[in-house]
């Protein structure tokens, strides 16, 4: 009898044991990449990747574990296929710091691919920007039709995509947006461990905003669940890149440590993470080893080809039990044994520079210089420029010259602006010859706006958002196709189509342009004076049209004449 | 009379050609007094470049010319300078011929009125003689060709010159008496810049006068002729607009051209009154004042028609002047057109009250425009109020000039019928007042 009861119990309990196998799986990977930059700064890139095997768009999900509910509901409700939001303070100096792992333009950048099922993309876009504005405490609600464009070639989906109808894509940049602690806090809240455990304990605002470049981003995209790609998983990557000036904080020495940069050390990994690693770039420059030393000794060394270059990384695996044996906290330190010969900074293959020229407040010219420093390979680059409507571009003045000769782009998509409705959109595919500088210039005229359309400080100027350069840069070393799950996160950001080139997206400087201003203290005066001039015309014409000429009758004198006569009589002078 | 005209044309063409080759050409084409968003040459080139790129020129907010201009310059872009010089010459020649014919009409009418004893006995010095009227057409052509405003407009290649040519041909056709051609040219002028619609009234009055149809509301002949002329005008307008539709296969040009002229979205400074007014306007009242300002251009037509029904050419002059002053994007090219008519009224000189001060005002303002623009936009030491003040003064000067001529014209008419030496009831010399 007891055996029968045990069997019945086992049969009843079996479904419960099998149930966890049916539950949706989600996984968290966290990673910190520390790379010393050629000019002496240190770049720290945090990446937190949550991967969730669920069918978000169908909305049939109700239990959120690692994936934040705010973003999951957003994706489900608004039919979002891909979302990329970046809030950046500062500018990544490609020329001195090298190619960035993931660059974002100054201010706030938001680009979204919607599902083909969305019927009114503009309405969904407006709702999305307003909801994100609330989630991240940023003024994304200022995104409207005057700063939104639909690029046709520059932004292809980074995740799984069935077709690329670019009418489902929207791109907007707010160059004037400032990033501060209020934006960092909600970003940290979206992390599964918050800022209490794992790598996120290093994210303290007072150190992070004391930097030359601070960029925090959120990327949501659908990915293949496995190699057969029969099912779709959703990936959320939260990245934070910060560049510290090691010289100024290290009293003149280029040595740095985690404690000196973040005023914190790592104590443990996030318990919810399946992977938690710190990578330190110890690639030897000029093939010289023993130039630098990292303490404590790393758990392993990883070699990879990143952005066309062979790199060596010291890996600290926070989940390995041997790491916290000697001390309770991990403070990665890097010491330079010999001061590096910094006279020759390696120049990245592709970098660009943009500036505005001209004098006066009537006209101006935007010039973009694109440098291809590869010694023998030419490659094409797509340039996307979004210029606000009040700088009237003249596309017949567009000139592209390389080495003194005209360089005709093979693809131009130009959408002129409409006053107060949409900005200019200029997309071009330009072939950059090897070892050359390409100069692109276009002239514009500055418009006079209505007095209510100026921002509170009108003489500060108006910002023109960064232009976007997208290119497949040929790499020196052949790259293998990476398996997203097994490789470091910083190598699997952009899908690579073949091993001979890697994808780079660069942003140029934002521009600050002054517009002529009316006098803001004068609305009433101007209305009165102009109406006076119109009234002068009306009055003169009215007189001439309604009155006729008459011979003047002698008047018997008005009051003034009679008074004058009285005084004259008193004086004894002849009367008037 | 042809030889002096040819000489004048040659001098004018030489001046323009010399300026085209100098460095002043680039400077003048940037001046906001000479070009406006409606007729700048830079924008014509931009529209053609957009067409080459496969984008409709009307999809942006830069190009506001009519499709016929695209069509014209698509073929003639290489000879643009020649085209503008020829348009100026054509305008001058058209005005010359028109005024020549008009003088004959004036003289004939004067003779008729003298024979009918309509004039007072002592107005001999006011009667116009053919001798004095002989050089007026040449002076008109000279006033147009050598006016600095016209020269600058031509050197800047502003399409205002083409507008002026069409209006000049319209005036020529009207004065010659051809209702059909007059309607066609008026339709072209309206199609180009909308405001010449108001010239329908003076043209109609002139043609009625020429056909000896009395202008009485009850007369059947009057309504018949009016309907005929209006039908000709409207049909030509419809034909031209449909032709424009077929050029680019879309109606986009209507909001881009006429919507732009009427709603004034572009506040680029110019010599008119609209730009600063709407730059400083409270948003709530914007639509109301746009309507008020546009009605202001059209609403002088009926009262002027009633007052000046016997003098339709003077009516046309006043109407062209009102359009040039109050249109939404005026330029100096528009002013040059009505100033070309001033020699026709040179016999009114003795009755003008303020001509000296007004001409000083206009000359000084014309000189100050570029100075204050430079101070505002380039030097940064002045602000927009300075340029706006000169705009106000210039427009007041123009308004007072026109009303001065109007006053002189009406006064001369009074003297013609009532005698020059007016006496009061007690025999002393009388003053004339407007009551």
């Amino acid at each position: 009898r007891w055996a029968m009861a045990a069997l019945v119990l086992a049969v009843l309990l079996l479904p419960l044991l099998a149930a966890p196998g049916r539950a949706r799986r989600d996984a968290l990977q966290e990673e910190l990449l520390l790379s010393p930059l050629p000019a002496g700064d240190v770049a720290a890139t945090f990446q937190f990747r949550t991967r969730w095997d669920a069918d978000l768009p169908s909305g049939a999900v109700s239990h959120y574990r690692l994936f934040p509910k705010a973003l999951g509901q957003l994706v489900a409700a608004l039919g979002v296929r891909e979302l990329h939001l970046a809030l950046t303070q500062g500018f990544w100096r490609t020329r001195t710091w090298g190619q960035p792992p993931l660059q974002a333009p100054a201010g706030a950048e938001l680009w979204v691919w919607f599902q083909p099922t969305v019927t009114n993309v503009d309405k969904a876009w407006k709702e999305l920007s307003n909801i994100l504005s609330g989630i991240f405490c940023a003024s994304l609600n200022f995104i409207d039709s005057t700063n939104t464009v639909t690029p046709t070639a520059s932004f292809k989906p980074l995740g799984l995509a069935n077709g690329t109808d670019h009418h489902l894509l929207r791109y907007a940049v707010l160059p004037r947006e400032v990033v501060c602690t209020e934006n960092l806090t909600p970003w940290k809240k979206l992390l599964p461990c918050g800022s209490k455990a794992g790598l996120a304990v290093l994210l303290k605002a007072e150190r992070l905003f004391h930097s030359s470049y601070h960029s925090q981003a959120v990327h949501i995209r659908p990915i293949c669940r496995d190699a057969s790609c029969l099912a779709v998983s959703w990936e959320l990557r939260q990245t934070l890149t910060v560049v510290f000036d090691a010289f100024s904080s290290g009293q003149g020495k280029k040595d740095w440590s985690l404690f000196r940069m973040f005023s914190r050390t790592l104590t443990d990994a996030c318990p919810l993470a399946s992977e938690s690693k710190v990578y330190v770039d110890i690639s030897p420059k000029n093939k010289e080893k023993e130039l630098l030393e990292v303490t404590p000794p790393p758990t392993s060394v990883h070699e990879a080809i990143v952005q066309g270059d062979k790199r060596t990384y010291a890996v600290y695996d926070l989940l390995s039990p041997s790491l916290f044996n000697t001390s309770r906290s991990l403070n990665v330190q890097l010491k330079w044994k010999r001061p590096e010969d910094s006279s020759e900074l390696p120049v990245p293959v592709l970098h660009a520079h943009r500036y505005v020229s001209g004098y006066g407040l009537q006209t101006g010219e935007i010039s973009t210089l694109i440098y291809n420093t590869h010694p023998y390979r030419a490659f094409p680059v797509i340039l996307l420029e979004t210029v606000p409507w009040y700088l009237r571009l003249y596309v017949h003045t567009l000139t592209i010259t390389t080495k003194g000769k005209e360089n005709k782009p093979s693809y131009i998509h130009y959408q002129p602006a409409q006053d107060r409705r949409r900005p200019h959109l200029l997309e071009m595919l330009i072939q950059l010859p090897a070892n050359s500088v390409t100069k692109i210039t276009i002239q514009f005229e500055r418009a006079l706006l209505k007095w209510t359309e100026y921002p509170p400080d009108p003489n500060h100027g108006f910002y023109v958002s960064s232009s976007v350069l997208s290119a497949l840069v040929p790499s020196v070393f052949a790259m293998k196709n990476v398996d997203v799950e097994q490789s470091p996160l910083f190598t699997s950001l952009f899908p690579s189509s073949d091993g001979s080139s890697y994808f780079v997206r660069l942003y140029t400087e934002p521009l600050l342009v002054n517009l002529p201003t009316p006098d803001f203290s004068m609305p009433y005066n101007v209305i009165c004076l102009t109406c006076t001039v119109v009234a002068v015309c009306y009055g003169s014409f009215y007189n001439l049209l309604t009155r006729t000429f008459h011979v003047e009758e002698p008047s018997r004198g008005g009051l003034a004449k009679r008074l004058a006569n009285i005084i004259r009589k008193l004086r004894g002078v002849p009367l008037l | 009379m042809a030889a002096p005209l040819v000489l004048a044309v040659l001098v004018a063409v030489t001046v323009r050609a010399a300026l085209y080759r100098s460095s002043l050409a680039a400077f003048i084409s940037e001046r906001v007094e000479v070009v406006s968003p409606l007729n700048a040459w830079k924008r014509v080139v931009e529209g053609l470049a957009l067409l080459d790129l496969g984008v409709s020129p009307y999809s942006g907010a830069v190009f506001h010319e009519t499709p016929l201009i695209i069509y014209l310059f698509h073929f003639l872009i290489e000879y643009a300078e020649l085209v503008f010089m020829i348009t100026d010459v054509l305008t001058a020649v058209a005005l010359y011929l028109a005024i020549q014919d008009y003088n004959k009409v004036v003289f004939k009418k004067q003779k008729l009125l003298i024979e009918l004893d309509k004039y007072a006995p002592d107005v001999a010095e006011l009667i116009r003689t053919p001798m004095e009227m002989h050089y007026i057409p040449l002076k008109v052509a000279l006033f147009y060709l050598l006016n600095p405003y016209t020269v600058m407009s031509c050197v800047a290649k502003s399409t205002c010159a083409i507008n002026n040519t069409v209006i000049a041909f319209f005036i020529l056709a009207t004065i010659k008496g051809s209702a059909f051609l007059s309607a066609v040219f008026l339709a072209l002028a309206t199609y180009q810049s909308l405001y010449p619609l108001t010239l329908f009234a003076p043209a109609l009055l002139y043609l009625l006068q020429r056909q000896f149809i009395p202008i009485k509301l009850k007369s059947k002949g009057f309504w018949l002729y009016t309907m005929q002329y209006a039908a000709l005008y409207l049909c030509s307008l419809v034909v031209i607009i449909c032709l424009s539709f077929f050029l680019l296969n879309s109606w986009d040009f209507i909001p881009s051209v006429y919507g732009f002229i009427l709603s004034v979205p572009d506040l680029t400074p110019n010599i008119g009154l609209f730009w600063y007014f709407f730059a400083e306007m409270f948003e709530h009242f914007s639509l109301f004042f746009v309507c008020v300002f546009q009605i202001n251009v059209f609403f002088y037509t009926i009262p002027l028609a009633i007052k000046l029904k016997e003098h339709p050419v003077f009516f046309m002059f006043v109407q062209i002047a009102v359009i040039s002053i109050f249109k939404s994007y005026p330029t100096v090219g528009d002013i040059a057109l009505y100033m070309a008519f001033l020699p026709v009224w040179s016999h009114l000189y003795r009755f003008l009250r303020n001509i000296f001060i007004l001409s000083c005002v206009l000359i000084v303002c014309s000189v100050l425009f570029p100075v204050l623009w430079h101070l505002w936009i380039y030097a940064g030491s002045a602000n927009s109020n300075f340029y706006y003040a000169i705009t106000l003064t210039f427009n007041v000067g123009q308004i007072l000039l026109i009303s001065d001529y109007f006053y002189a014209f009406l006064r001369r008419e009074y003297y013609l019928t009532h005698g020059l030496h007016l006496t009061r009831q007690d025999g002393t010399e009388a003053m004339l007042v407007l009551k």
Side-chain angles (χ1 to χ4, degrees), chain B residues 111-132:
Chain B
K111 211 160 97 164
L112 181 69
L113 287 172
I114 291 177
E115 277 171 18
L116 290 176
D117 248 351
K118 290 280 167 107
Y119 287 165
D122 59 348
V123 292
E125 53 193 78
L126 289 181
I127 304 285
R128 305 180 66 189
T129 59
M131 268 309 290
E132 142 215 351

Side-chain angles (χ1 to χ4, degrees), chain A residues 359-363 392-397 412 414-420 422 424 443-445 447-453 516-531 533-534 536-554, chain B residues 30 32 42-43 45-46 49-50 53 55 59-62 265-268 273 275-283 286 289 293 296 299-300 303-304 307 318 322 326 373 376-378 383-385 388 392 395-396 399-400 402-403 406-407 410-411 414 424-425 430-435:
Chain A
Y359 65 99
L361 294 175
Q362 191 177 6
T363 53
R392 303 208 164 97
L393 291 182
Y394 284 92
V395 80
H396 73 271
T397 57
I412 291 191
Y414 177 64
Q415 198 185 48
Q418 278 176 353
D419 279 9
R420 301 179 180 88
R422 66 169 196 227
H424 295 279
Q443 287 177 5
F444 63 88
E445 227 174 55
L448 184 72
L449 305 177
K450 301 188 183 173
W451 70 302
T452 48
E453 290 172 346
T517 58
D519 188 346
F520 297 98
S521 57
M522 292 256 299
Y524 184 68
N525 305 11
V526 167
I527 296 175
C528 284
L529 288 169
T530 311
C531 291
V533 171
V534 176
V536 162
C537 178
Y538 177 82
S540 319
F541 274 71
Y542 178 83
N543 273 343
L544 292 165
L545 288 169
T546 53
R547 297 184 186 196
T548 49
F549 283 99
H550 292 285
V551 173
E552 188 189 3
E553 292 304 315
Chain B
E30 292 275 306
V32 289
K42 196 171 178 190
R43 294 187 182 231
V45 175
E46 175 72 7
L50 283 173
L53 271 180
V55 177
S59 59
V62 161
D266 186 338
L267 298 174
T268 310
L273 298 164
W275 63 280
Y276 207 53
F277 189 71
F278 290 105
E280 300 272 13
M281 174 55 60
F282 301 100
E283 265 313 302
S286 191
F289 277 104
F293 270 55
N296 185 46
F299 109 123
Y300 289 108
L304 280 171
K307 182 82 178 185
V318 174
V322 164
F326 291 112
W373 176 258
W376 172 28
I377 296 288
Y378 294 99
N383 65 8
S384 48
N385 291 336
Y388 168 65
L392 285 180
N395 283 310
V396 166
I399 291 168
L400 292 177
I402 300 306
S403 55
F406 197 5
Y407 173 86
L410 292 176
R411 191 164 169 163
Y414 182 84
R424 277 186 236 169
Q425 286 154 345
M431 291 288 294
L432 205 55
V433 290
L434 214 48
K435 268 226 229 303

Side-chain angles (χ1 to χ4, degrees), chain B residues 169-183:
Chain B
F169 274 116
F170 152 72
I171 295 173
L172 177 63
T174 311
I175 292 184
K176 288 271 189 201
S178 157
F180 172 66
L181 277 178
S182 165

Side-chain angles (χ1 to χ4, degrees), chain A residues 202 204 206-207 257-265:
Chain A
L202 297 175
K204 291 299 161 197
E206 71 264 11
R207 298 298 308 168
S257 73
L258 275 185
F259 186 75
R260 205 182 271 156
M261 287 196 293
F262 298 104
S263 71
R264 292 284 187 292
T265 55

